């Protein structure tokens, strides 16, 4: 559709239904585009001049929007709005005068729209897609449905067809059957020995192509350091390490300080990916770099870290430095996939631009939910895309949602775990999907590497005791750290707190003394202060007597 979208601009005339009419049949009138916002256009009926009283928004790709001349060709009546019928006696002459030299939609516009809504991926096609529970490997999945180019994939071993994953057909997370084996990527073999009836492998040419690279010369090597967007916490850019070099320019990368011993949480990026950066990228562009978990020598300095770890930085020249003329500006509105819950598309705003990197803010939510996304990501859409394709759009968070979110954030501020941030967002699911009830999610902590809403922990990680739920059930934590000092509902009195000291964090969070140890320490503290004040008082009394004598 991009071939004809350039013809659409302000002042273009179209024929639309006339809603200001008392006739029983559907009639039309001519309107002009006043303003464009993505696929949506603000229209004003001809004859209203500067009067905006009946201006209205509509999707310019909708079935009721037609080029001028469509009514004459289709035998549909053109009737002026009732509000302005008295203004002119000869409306035919008025229209001839107003439309002479004016622009309208291309005659094949509706056909172009229809063609753009046809997608090569079809149900029953088999693909390889990232395992949402183990990022380091892929699995076979089957296309269940296609909406606007977005695929609902069901893992092949799912008997009830509920174990699914959403992504765009041009996502870098999906590949043709045999891709993992061809590049040396880890792959989970299916227990299903043969294809199910009707299922067939997706042709390789349908997948997004990556730029060819030359690995024969200077190239990435294992243990080289770089900076990378954490795929499980997309608001952060972290210190990372190349763990394995695969074929065709693919790299397995791990986040420093948060890796499993067996590499089960490594993730795959292509060398040309806009989500990896050379050492120093964040500092140059004034972005906060997330240091390795447990690293205490702050503020973080790359020079010191490279020396201490005995590592080298990946050469700058190996990274993708192409910056397209994308046209995004700070403050622009759009519809964006919440990649922490990839089945959701939300109202969003561009809040920062670093070359080709966009900071996407979900309207109504706090900044901790923001995501760094590439300007050419298939998960960004113009305003009106959901309406056009029939995909459910998640509205901005309500005041009650923000208050609930703020309360839970205060209890768990800066706490981190290995799960999708989307669990903190209580939103409606797309059509055909049940909403995730926060009260049904187990409050488990620990290290997780999962793309899904599933609460299964990946071995060898252990589950932590569940937090005691207040009246409003708090959503799970969203980062890699947990606070073992907080008292949990499973602890007996006197056991809260760590080996380093009493559970002061639990005392502050709960507003009460949570164990015998705390009570004892508080009693001794009060006794000491009381003794100190008595001694200080007697000292002042004696000094006063000496002065008066």
């Amino acid at each position: 559709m991009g071939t004809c979208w350039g013809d659409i601009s302000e002042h273009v005339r179209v024929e639309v239904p006339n809603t200001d009419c008392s006739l029983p049949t559907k009639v039309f009138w001519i309107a002009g585009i006043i303003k464009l916002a993505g696929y949506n256009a603000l229209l004003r009926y001809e004859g209203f001049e500067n009067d905006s009283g009946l201006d209205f928004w509509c999707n310019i790709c909708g079935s009721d929007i037609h080029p001028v001349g469509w009514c004459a060709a289709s035998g549909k009546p053109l009737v002026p709005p009732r509000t302005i019928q008295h203004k002119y006696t000869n409306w035919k002459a008025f229209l001839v005068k107003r439309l002479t030299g004016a622009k309208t939609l291309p005659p094949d516009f509706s056909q172009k729209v229809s063609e753009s809504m046809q997608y090569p991926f079809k149900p029953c096609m088999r693909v390889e897609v990232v395992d949402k529970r183990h990022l380091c490997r892929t699995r076979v999945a089957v296309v269940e449905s296609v909406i606007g180019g977005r695929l609902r994939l069901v893992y092949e071993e799912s008997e009830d067809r509920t174990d699914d994953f959403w992504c765009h057909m041009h996502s870098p997370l999906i590949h043709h059957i045999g891709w993992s084996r061809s590049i040396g990527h880890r792959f989970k073999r299916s227990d299903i020995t043969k294809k199910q009836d009707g299922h067939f492998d997706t042709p390789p040419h349908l997948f997004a192509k990556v730029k060819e690279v030359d690995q024969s010369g200077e190239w990435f090597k294992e243990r080289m350091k770089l900076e990378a967007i954490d795929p499980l916490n997309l608001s952060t850019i972290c210190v990372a390490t190349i763990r394995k070099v695969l074929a065709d320019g693919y790299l397995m990368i791990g986040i420093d300080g948060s890796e499993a011993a067996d590499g089960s949480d490594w993730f795959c990026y292509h060398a040309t990916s806009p989500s990896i950066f050379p050492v120093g990228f964040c500092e140059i562009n004034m972005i906060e770099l997330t240091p390795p978990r447990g690293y205490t020598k702050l503020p973080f300095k790359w020079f010191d870290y490279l020396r201490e770890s005995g590592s080298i930085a990946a050469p700058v020249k190996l990274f993708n430095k192409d910056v397209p003329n994308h046209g995004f500006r700070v403050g622009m509105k759009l519809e964006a996939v919440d990649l922490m819950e990839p089945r959701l598309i939300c109202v969003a705003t561009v809040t920062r631009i670093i070359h080709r990197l966009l900071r996407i803010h979900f309207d109504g939510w706090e900044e901790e939910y923001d995501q760094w996304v590439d300007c050419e990501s298939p998960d960004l859409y113009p305003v009106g895309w959901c309406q056009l394709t029939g995909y459910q759009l998640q509205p901005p968070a309500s005041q009650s949602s923000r208050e609930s979110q703020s309360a839970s954030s205060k209890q768990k501020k800066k706490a981190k775990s290995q799960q999708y941030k989307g669990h903190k967002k209580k939103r409606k699911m797309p059509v055909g999907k049940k909403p995730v009830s926060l009260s049904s999610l187990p409050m488990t902590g620990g290290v997780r590497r999962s793309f899904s809403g599933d609460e299964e922990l990946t071995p060898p990680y252990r589950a932590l005791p569940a937090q005691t739920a207040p009246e409003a059930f708090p959503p799970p934590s969203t980062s890699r750290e947990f606070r073992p000092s907080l008292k949990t509902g499973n602890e007996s009195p006197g056991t809260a707190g760590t080996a380093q000291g009493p559970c002061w964090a639990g005392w502050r969070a709960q507003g009460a003394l949570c164990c015998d140890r705390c009570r004892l320490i508080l009693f001794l503290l009060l006794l000491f202060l009381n003794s100190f004040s008595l001694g200080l008082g007697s000292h002042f009394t004696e000094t006063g007597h000496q002065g008066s004598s």
Side-chain angles (χ1 to χ4, degrees), residues 257-449:
S258 304
E259 298 177 67
D262 60 357
S264 60
D265 56 357
W266 297 349
F267 49 93
C268 185
Y269 277 143
H270 193 264
T272 61
S273 170
S275 297
I276 59 174
F277 317 96
V279 164
F281 173 84
C282 286
E283 182 178 1
I284 293 172
N285 294 285
M286 294 180 288
I287 301 173
E288 181 180 359
L289 176 66
T290 301
R293 187 176 62 177
Y295 188 75
T296 58
K297 193 173 181 181
L298 303 176
F300 179 85
K301 298 293 183 183
W302 264 115
F303 179 81
D304 295 336
Y305 185 68
L306 291 174
R307 176 173 49 81
E308 293 166 3
S309 61
S311 307
I312 61 172
V316 176
K317 66 180 181 180
L318 299 181
F319 292 86
N320 180 11
K321 293 179 282 293
D322 296 337
V323 181
N325 184 19
H326 49 71
F328 284 100
R329 299 290 182 270
V330 171
M332 283 185 170
K333 298 289 184 182
L334 69 160
E335 298 173 2
V337 175
D338 177 1
L339 293 169
M340 300 291 99
E341 276 288 357
R343 70 193 74 176
L344 303 181
I345 297 182
C346 314
V347 175
T349 306
V350 178
T351 58
R352 193 174 180 192
I353 301 174
I354 306 295
H355 308 304
R356 64 181 300 149
L357 198 61
L358 309 180
R359 181 83 171 181
I360 301 299
H361 173 75
F362 296 106
D363 288 15
W365 297 95
E366 293 184 356
E367 291 183 0
E368 64 181 289
Y369 298 90
D370 291 0
Q371 298 178 3
W372 288 108
V373 182
D374 183 61
C375 65
E376 294 183 342
S377 168
D379 296 307
L380 301 178
Y381 306 101
V383 170
W385 182 88
C386 283
Q387 180 185 359
L388 175 64
T389 60
Y391 205 103
Q392 183 174 330
L393 177 65
Q394 310 301 318
S398 63
Q399 181 66 28
S400 58
S401 298
R402 290 195 295 269
E403 290 174 354
S404 175
Q405 172 202 25
S406 177
S408 62
S409 295
K410 289 178 181 178
Q411 290 182 350
K412 299 182 175 219
K413 191 173 183 181
K414 302 301 182 182
K416 289 190 172 184
S417 70
Q418 296 293 330
Q419 57 203 8
Y420 246 158
K421 295 172 72 176
H423 288 273
K424 297 180 73 175
K425 305 177 184 180
K426 190 172 183 180
R427 298 177 178 150
K428 293 181 180 179
M429 293 302 180
V431 177
K433 298 299 294 178
K434 292 182 179 180
V436 172
S437 172
L438 294 181
S439 60
S440 67
L441 298 179
M443 292 296 293
T444 55
V447 182
R448 267 194 73 214
R449 279 291 182 182

Side-chain angles (χ1 to χ4, degrees), residues 139 154-164 192 196:
R139 296 172 61 184
V154 176
Y155 290 112
E156 196 169 50
E157 295 172 298
S158 176
E159 295 181 358
D160 58 1
R161 309 197 67 77
T162 59
D163 190 8
D164 63 356
I192 301 176
Q196 298 183 18

